[in-house]
Amino acid sequence: MTWFDCQHAMSKSSVAFSPHKPLSTIGRARGNDLVLDDAMVEATHANLIRAGQSYTVSATGRTADIFVNGHKVRSAKLQAGDVVLIGAWQLTVSEGAPPEKLEEPAPGLSLDLLERLVELSAELMKDTTPNRLFTALLRGLVDLTRAEKGFVLVFQDGQRHLAAAHNVEDERLDLSRVSDSIVNQVVKDLKPIIVSDAMRDTRFGRAQSVVDLKLSSVMAVPLIYRRDLLGVIYLGNDSITDLFTERDLAMLKIYAAQASLMVHHALLLNQLKLDNRNLRDQLKASSQGEILGNCPPMRALFKVIRRVAPTDLSVLVMGETGTGKELVARELHAQSGRKEQPFVAINCGAVPENLLESELFGHKKGAFTGAIADKIGKIEAANGGTLFLDEIGEMPMNLQVKLLRVLQERVIERVGDLKPRPVEIRVVSATNKDLLEMIKGGDFREDLYYRLAELTMDLPPLRERGEDIELLSTFFLHKYQQTYETKVHGFTNQALQAMKQYYWPGNVRELESRIKKALIMSDRGLLNPDDLGLTEQDKRHIAPLADAQEQFKVDYIRQVLELNNWNKAQTARDLGVDARTIFRYIEKFEG
């Protein structure tokens, strides 16, 4: 007769199970033939199939892990003496009649583990620092697993931080102490991993971090709270190979479940204070007034603003929708000698054409139907200060003529009034259109353009601002956290990566909008790509290098042709190529 001696690794629980049916179910839920009360056991974890006098154990799902004699299997035929590990339960196949009462296993490692968990829970109840909690966590794990050293890595705002180390010389918190290749694998799969002999491991043996650190045994497990990845517990021993077993990993997973709760609460306790201090410092070093940015194009823009703001030069700000053109205009005003005077803005594309003249220049009572009183216009209202003309490319041609007169003569005439009124203003305009192309098409006056564009500023689109995406995301998250009373306190690594890979057609305005919506709708601690509405299909297209090189050649040859007034022979000489090459590329232009 075949029976199973079932023992739990964390307690003294023992169960004798004698299967009597052709198919017996094993799982955590009541109703299974063998109920194994353990969090790591699925509701229905495995089937035990009898064929004659032999038994086969098989997993019921993809996440139902089964180990037979230390080897992970999906299905295996059993014989007397085999040891099956399901969760923290060890099932030993035995022959003969089962004893009426099984002896309780001697206390050992499982009792130690239970005691460590109780100690850890006690630490969690204290008003203590995260560092002390992490140290207590590692001390228990290193003792239990016979590891040589241990580390806790915590992920915050897309960055990895080595939060604690144990049994490391000088206890220096340096990410170079752990293998980034092994940590990356845990982060990618969100599953624990055992490396028995890192130097000879086919997955990691050639990794630079493994070679440099001369690793032997490594065990790492993700710290997951609900669905958020908080960090990684990393244990290692550089002297002994094959140190860690699947049983060690199973117990570490139990410990990690408690540790995840501890890390979550520890981070919440310190997050607000730390984030506020870091954010203030970061914003101070990465801003110009209300404009945030730390990428080279933005730093160059800040330098231009500081030099140009004190002057009276007319500035044309160019950039895509949502890049912050009005913020630049306001900063030019705030840094100028006019800062105590009015800043008046008007969107030339938002006002109907038949009303735009009155909005800009004002009108005299009775000038047209509905003009029941004298009205001052935007230009006159900005007298002494700054006038911001947004979407200047939308201004009708007849008003362009009148605006040009204002800039040349510094006087206005209200609609229906012939009396000239002097104005002293500085004009900053903005557009997302190519005004030079509009001039060629006869849609914008060239003389007005040069009056408005005594100096031009180009705002880079968000997709070209690199790490500024993370800076702006963090700023918006903290800006709206209290407004919406949200639980969200950061972003997952996957969310930050998705934001950097997205095209952002709406630029900073779209980023702000997506984060506001995510803060309202999400119940997670960390926002992921789904919360932000970003999918794999939203990734920016990256052209192969050969295609990018070819496109560069096309654009460059076109530029040189225009410089040479489309003289093919001169262009070929300038570029040092055969004239036939130029003709071949001209065919591509026309195609």
Side-chain angles (χ1 to χ4, degrees):
M1 178 180 179
T2 300
W3 62 281
F4 292 81
D5 179 0
C6 309
Q7 298 185 2
H8 195 270
M10 285 185 59
S11 67
K12 301 177 182 180
S13 301
S14 295
V15 177
F17 174 61
S18 298
H20 299 292
K21 300 190 300 184
L23 173 64
S24 300
T25 59
I26 303 172
R28 185 182 71 252
R30 296 181 181 277
N32 287 290
D33 298 295
L34 174 58
V35 178
L36 301 179
D37 187 10
D38 185 89
M40 293 189 297
V41 177
E42 302 288 340
T44 299
H45 197 103
N47 290 326
L48 191 63
I49 303 169
R50 187 182 69 194
Q53 299 301 314
S54 65
Y55 286 86
T56 299
V57 64
S58 60
T60 57
R62 296 172 59 185
T63 59
D65 293 340
I66 299 175
F67 299 90
V68 176
N69 299 328
H71 299 287
K72 187 175 180 179
V73 299
R74 299 298 302 162
S75 179
K77 190 173 183 179
L78 304 176
Q79 58 185 7
D82 285 347
V83 177
V84 181
L85 187 66
I86 297 178
W89 283 91
Q90 176 180 289
L91 286 60
T92 304
V93 183
S94 304
E95 293 290 348
E100 294 183 4
K101 182 179 180 181
L102 291 173
E103 295 183 2
E104 294 180 346
L109 188 60
S110 59
L111 182 58
D112 288 343
L113 177 60
L114 190 58
E115 290 174 346
R116 294 291 185 183
L117 287 172
V118 172
E119 292 174 4
L120 192 60
S121 297
E123 287 287 338
L124 185 57
M125 298 301 293
K126 297 177 183 177
D127 183 14
T128 188
T129 64
N131 186 60
R132 289 182 60 185
L133 288 171
F134 295 149
T135 301
L137 163 67
L138 288 175
R139 183 170 58 248
L141 283 174
V142 168
D143 290 346
L144 285 171
T145 60
R146 306 175 306 283
E148 183 181 48
K149 54 192 174 184
F151 305 90
V152 174
L153 282 76
V154 174
F155 301 155
Q156 287 180 281
D157 299 326
Q159 301 294 322
R160 296 179 185 180
H161 306 277
L162 194 55
H166 184 61
N167 279 1
V168 178
E169 184 181 355
D170 74 25
E171 301 292 326
R172 180 166 52 91
L173 298 184
D174 185 349
L175 280 172
S176 65
R177 302 290 187 94
V178 301
S179 168
D180 54 359
S181 300
I182 293 175
V183 172
N184 289 342
Q185 190 67 42
V186 175
V187 172
K188 177 184 177 183
D189 297 337
L190 296 180
K191 291 183 179 179
I193 191 170
I194 285 181
V195 181
S196 299
D197 188 352
M199 297 289 286
R200 293 180 173 81
D201 191 279
T202 55
R203 298 165 296 175
F204 308 111
R206 294 185 179 181
Q208 191 64 45
S209 58
V210 171
V211 175
D212 291 345
L213 295 168
K214 300 179 181 178
L215 302 179
S216 291
S217 296
V218 177
M219 182 164 56
V221 61
L223 296 173
I224 300 174
Y225 180 76
R226 294 182 179 173
R227 289 175 289 179
D228 299 328
L229 177 64
L230 303 182
V232 171
I233 296 176
Y234 179 103
L235 303 175
N237 191 307
D238 298 341
S239 305
I240 305 173
T241 59
D242 299 308
L243 174 65
F244 304 122
T245 66
E246 294 292 345
R247 176 177 288 277
D248 291 326
L249 187 60
M251 289 188 290
L252 179 60
K253 288 166 65 177
I254 298 171
Y255 208 104
Q258 179 77 357
S260 296
L261 180 64
M262 181 197 77
V263 172
H264 172 72
H265 285 290
L267 292 177
L268 285 182
L269 288 173
N270 290 268
Q271 185 77 31
L272 186 59
K273 182 178 179 181
L274 178 64
D275 281 353
N276 285 344
R277 184 174 67 247
N278 289 345
L279 188 59
R280 282 196 302 269
D281 293 343
Q282 194 174 19
L283 294 182
K284 185 177 180 181
S286 308
S287 65
Q288 175 66 50
E290 297 295 319
I291 312 170
L292 298 182
N294 199 35
C295 65
M298 293 303 291
R299 289 201 299 268
L301 178 71
F302 296 161
K303 185 176 180 180
V304 173
I305 289 175
R306 290 191 292 269
R307 299 192 67 170
V308 173
T311 73
D312 281 332
L313 287 176
S314 296
V315 178
L316 175 63
V317 185
M318 297 182 294
E320 296 178 7
T321 298
T323 49
K325 296 186 288 294
E326 183 169 346
L327 286 178
V328 171
R330 290 185 179 276
E331 187 60 18
L332 286 168
H333 177 73
Q335 296 295 320
S336 73
R338 302 173 180 268
K339 62 183 178 182
E340 302 299 331
Q341 301 302 317
F343 176 91
V344 179
I346 183 169
N347 188 323
C348 301
V351 181
E353 183 175 341
N354 61 329
L355 298 179
L356 184 58
E357 183 178 5
S358 174
E359 284 294 311
L360 281 172
F361 298 95
H363 61 253
K364 186 176 177 60
K365 179 180 178 180
F368 52 83
T369 303
I372 59 176
D374 289 353
K375 177 185 176 182
I376 187 172
K378 297 287 187 181
I379 297 176
E380 196 174 349
N383 192 27
T386 302
L387 175 68
F388 176 54
L389 300 172
D390 198 7
E391 303 297 347
I392 189 65
E394 302 293 336
M395 180 173 284
M397 189 65 74
N398 65 312
L399 291 186
Q400 291 181 31
V401 176
K402 294 188 176 184
L403 178 60
L404 178 62
R405 184 190 175 203
V406 172
L407 296 177
Q408 289 174 333
E409 301 178 13
R410 300 293 168 171
V411 295
I412 66 158
E413 292 178 1
R414 294 180 182 177
V415 177
D417 187 2
L418 298 178
K419 178 183 176 181
R421 300 171 185 270
V423 290
E424 199 285 305
I425 56 173
R426 183 197 195 165
V427 176
V428 178
S429 51
T431 183
N432 59 3
K433 294 187 175 182
D434 187 337
L435 295 186
L436 294 177
E437 286 297 319
M438 293 181 65
I439 290 171
K440 292 179 182 178
D443 297 318
F444 201 84
R445 293 183 62 94
E446 185 174 13
D447 47 5
L448 176 60
Y449 172 81
Y450 289 111
R451 282 287 184 178
L452 294 172
E454 291 178 321
L455 184 137
T456 60
M457 291 183 180
D458 288 295
L459 291 186
L462 182 59
R463 58 185 170 275
E464 295 178 4
R465 292 177 59 180
E467 295 302 320
D468 280 2
I469 293 176
E470 184 176 338
L471 173 69
L472 290 163
S473 300
T474 304
F475 170 77
F476 289 134
L477 186 145
H478 285 272
K479 178 180 178 181
Y480 296 112
Q481 260 181 331
Q482 294 183 343
T483 302
Y484 300 122
E485 297 181 350
T486 178
K487 299 178 182 177
V488 177
H489 58 83
F491 302 90
T492 64
N493 290 334
Q494 294 87 345
L496 291 171
Q497 186 68 20
M499 286 191 285
K500 291 175 183 177
Q501 293 177 339
Y502 181 53
Y503 190 76
W504 295 112
N507 290 288
V508 180
R509 188 179 296 128
E510 181 185 359
L511 174 66
E512 181 177 14
S513 176
R514 284 181 181 264
I515 290 177
K516 286 171 66 176
K517 178 182 177 182
L519 290 175
I520 295 170
M521 302 302 295
S522 179
D523 58 357
R524 311 172 194 264
L526 298 174
L527 295 178
N528 67 17
D530 291 342
D531 296 317
L532 296 165
L534 301 177
T535 66
E536 193 70 19
Q537 287 71 35
D538 293 319
K539 287 180 63 174
R540 200 183 322 167
H541 173 68
I542 299 177
L545 182 59
D547 292 350
Q549 289 175 327
E550 184 64 19
Q551 186 59 47
F552 172 79
K553 291 179 181 179
V554 169
D555 295 339
Y556 190 61
I557 290 172
R558 184 194 294 271
Q559 291 177 22
V560 179
L561 279 166
E562 290 177 351
L563 288 173
N564 288 323
N565 201 25
W566 287 81
N567 185 316
K568 289 87 170 175
Q570 183 60 46
T571 298
R573 286 193 293 271
D574 288 346
L575 295 176
V577 298
D578 189 277
R580 287 173 295 183
T581 300
I582 303 302
F583 281 100
R584 187 169 70 251
Y585 275 95
I586 290 175
E587 291 178 0
K588 291 186 178 183
F589 302 158
E590 297 172 350

